Amino acid sequence: MSDERHAAVAQDERIALVLDAGGARSAYQVGALQVLLPELARRRQRPTLLIGTSAGGLLTAALAATAHLDAEEQAAHLLDVLRGATKKNVMQPLWRQAPAVVARYASETIGASRFRLRGFVGTGPLARTLERSIDWDRLHRNVDDGVVEIAAVTATSVRTGWVTMFAEATGAFGDLPTPPRAHHRRYAATRLGVPHLLASSAIPALFPSVEVTEPAEAAGWYVDGATRRRVPLAPALELGADRVVVVGTGSLRPSEPDPEADLGRVDLGDSGATLLGAVMDDPLRHDLRRLASLNGLVSDDAVRAGLDQHRARMNRPPYRITPYAAVAPHTGEELAGVAMGVFRANHGLRGSLLDPDLQLVHRLLGSDSPLQGEMLSYLLFDPDFFDAAADLGRREAEEWMADNPDLWRTAPLPALTED
């Protein structure tokens, strides 16, 4: 399709960019966006609906604050933000906070609930990093000016488990959606700030839960938005996206059955990696499958008529065909292998003396676990891992474009097609 044709079809289209969770794996997303953002700009299809969860929420804020720049500059700024997210700029050293952790844990065991332990790893450095690395005034101005229609980050209420999308929207956007109550999700209109991003990325138990005070109707304590979200693409569709770009960090291809591997002994690292897979990988895979299946149903006029009647009875808008572009690791072993390679190279004896925290976590989780790399890939805030993961993201985004010359597809992904 020529640039002129792109310009003609893109004028009235609303493009959503969905960035899923991933911790240190967000480097993969930055690499993919270095390829996708310029291509979308060339087609005059730059995203104006920005939706992120956890580490994807941090990138969402960075993108909203740079939306006025050209795509290459925006991608370069993302890379700068990533390179500043090293361990010392994300979390406090374990040795420094050990006394406070022990004291708070002891106070809870004796019933002194005033001093609660909300997480094992302090994120004060991350708060300071977010404050200085994101131009918050420019973010608000880009939304006010309509350069970005909406920027939303997902967090999970600790007490009720409600998935809350803290959303800053341009005045012309209109009312935010009201999902069915059974979905256990809600939107909260607000002016985004550091607390919302910290809440979205607060891995339960590891990082402390975060108190959010604005907006008042959604005030409370929150943890990582990935913990309870089950339909990561739903907000993009509810917000009226005509096309959806999604960049994930979990595997697009489910693992194959392996009876022999199932007989192997397991440890804490294996259990943790299995839990992370259920939270990070499965929802995006299932939602992409649902979207493609729905596209197929809506393309059939007879089926579509019945679906429209059903939606009307529910007082919901009719379904539409929604083209999508999806970039995520082909298999779970890709980023895990990269993480283990960097860990062995940089965190051996000398690395452990300089920074013992990661080595300690590695040993506690079970250093000989076959899935240890999976766990480490979420926590390895190491420049060498960032570079390698970003390179993988760039390569796989280029593969998507080679496999989908028009960028978009509506049919199911081959990796998600059931036999």
Side-chain angles (χ1 to χ4, degrees), residues 245-268:
V245 181
V246 55
V247 185
T249 64
S251 171
L252 275 181
R253 186 183 299 276
S255 59
E256 297 293 331
D258 189 340
E260 185 174 342
D262 286 338
L263 294 174
R265 294 183 180 276
V266 299
D267 57 25
L268 186 60

Side-chain angles (χ1 to χ4, degrees), residues 280-323:
M280 303 295 184
D281 298 11
D282 295 353
L284 182 56
R285 273 203 306 262
H286 295 329
D287 229 15
L288 283 170
R289 184 183 292 115
R290 279 192 292 265
L291 177 61
S293 298
L294 188 58
N295 283 340
L297 291 173
V298 174
S299 65
D300 185 308
D301 291 341
V303 174
R304 182 172 186 165
L307 289 173
D308 287 350
Q309 291 177 6
H310 173 69
R311 295 285 288 178
R313 285 195 295 270
M314 297 174 62
N315 198 29
R316 310 296 293 178
Y319 289 125
R320 299 175 297 149
I321 295 177
T322 307

Side-chain angles (χ1 to χ4, degrees), residues 191-202:
R191 210 160 173 81
L192 290 179
V194 171
H196 303 106
L197 302 193
L198 289 176
S200 182
S201 57

Side-chain angles (χ1 to χ4, degrees), residues 126-346:
L126 177 58
R128 293 188 290 273
T129 298
L130 293 173
E131 192 66 57
R132 67 172 179 266
S133 63
I134 294 174
D135 186 340
W136 291 98
D137 289 339
R138 188 74 229 200
L139 184 156
H140 302 320
R141 197 183 323 157
N142 283 343
V143 175
D144 290 342
D145 293 345
V147 180
V148 172
E149 290 186 275
I150 191 165
V153 298
T154 307
T156 304
S157 171
V158 174
R159 293 297 188 184
T160 64
W162 273 75
V163 176
T164 302
M165 285 149 284
F166 293 104
E168 182 167 347
T170 185
F173 187 83
D175 294 334
L176 294 174
T178 303
R181 189 172 180 82
H183 288 192
H184 219 56
R185 292 184 295 113
R186 63 180 175 178
Y187 291 84
T190 191
R191 210 160 173 81
L192 290 179
V194 171
H196 303 106
L197 302 193
L198 289 176
S200 182
S201 57
I203 302 173
L206 181 64
F207 294 160
S209 52
V210 177
E211 185 178 20
V212 174
T213 58
E214 295 292 338
E217 63 270 20
W221 292 87
Y222 289 85
V223 291
D224 198 304
T227 55
R228 297 293 288 268
R229 64 93 179 82
R230 291 294 176 263
V231 282
L233 301 184
L237 303 182
E238 290 169 343
L239 292 168
D242 297 297
R243 297 172 186 264
V244 178
V245 181
V246 55
V247 185
T249 64
S251 171
L252 275 181
R253 186 183 299 276
S255 59
E256 297 293 331
D258 189 340
E260 185 174 342
D262 286 338
L263 294 174
R265 294 183 180 276
V266 299
D267 57 25
L268 186 60
D270 293 311
S271 299
T274 300
L275 176 61
L276 280 173
V279 171
M280 303 295 184
D281 298 11
D282 295 353
L284 182 56
R285 273 203 306 262
H286 295 329
D287 229 15
L288 283 170
R289 184 183 292 115
R290 279 192 292 265
L291 177 61
S293 298
L294 188 58
N295 283 340
L297 291 173
V298 174
S299 65
D300 185 308
D301 291 341
V303 174
R304 182 172 186 165
L307 289 173
D308 287 350
Q309 291 177 6
H310 173 69
R311 295 285 288 178
R313 285 195 295 270
M314 297 174 62
N315 198 29
R316 310 296 293 178
Y319 289 125
R320 299 175 297 149
I321 295 177
T322 307
Y324 68 94
V327 177
H330 297 323
T331 68
E333 290 76 23
E334 289 180 304
L335 283 173
V338 170
M340 282 306 302
V342 171
F343 180 82
R344 291 186 178 117
N346 294 358

Side-chain angles (χ1 to χ4, degrees), residues 16-20 29 33 47 49-53 56 60 232-237 244-248 284 325 327:
L17 173 61
V18 178
L19 298 174
D20 214 17
Q29 295 172 304
L33 290 171
L49 307 179
L50 306 178
I51 303 159
T53 298
T60 290
L233 301 184
L237 303 182
V244 178
V245 181
V246 55
V247 185
L284 182 56
V327 177

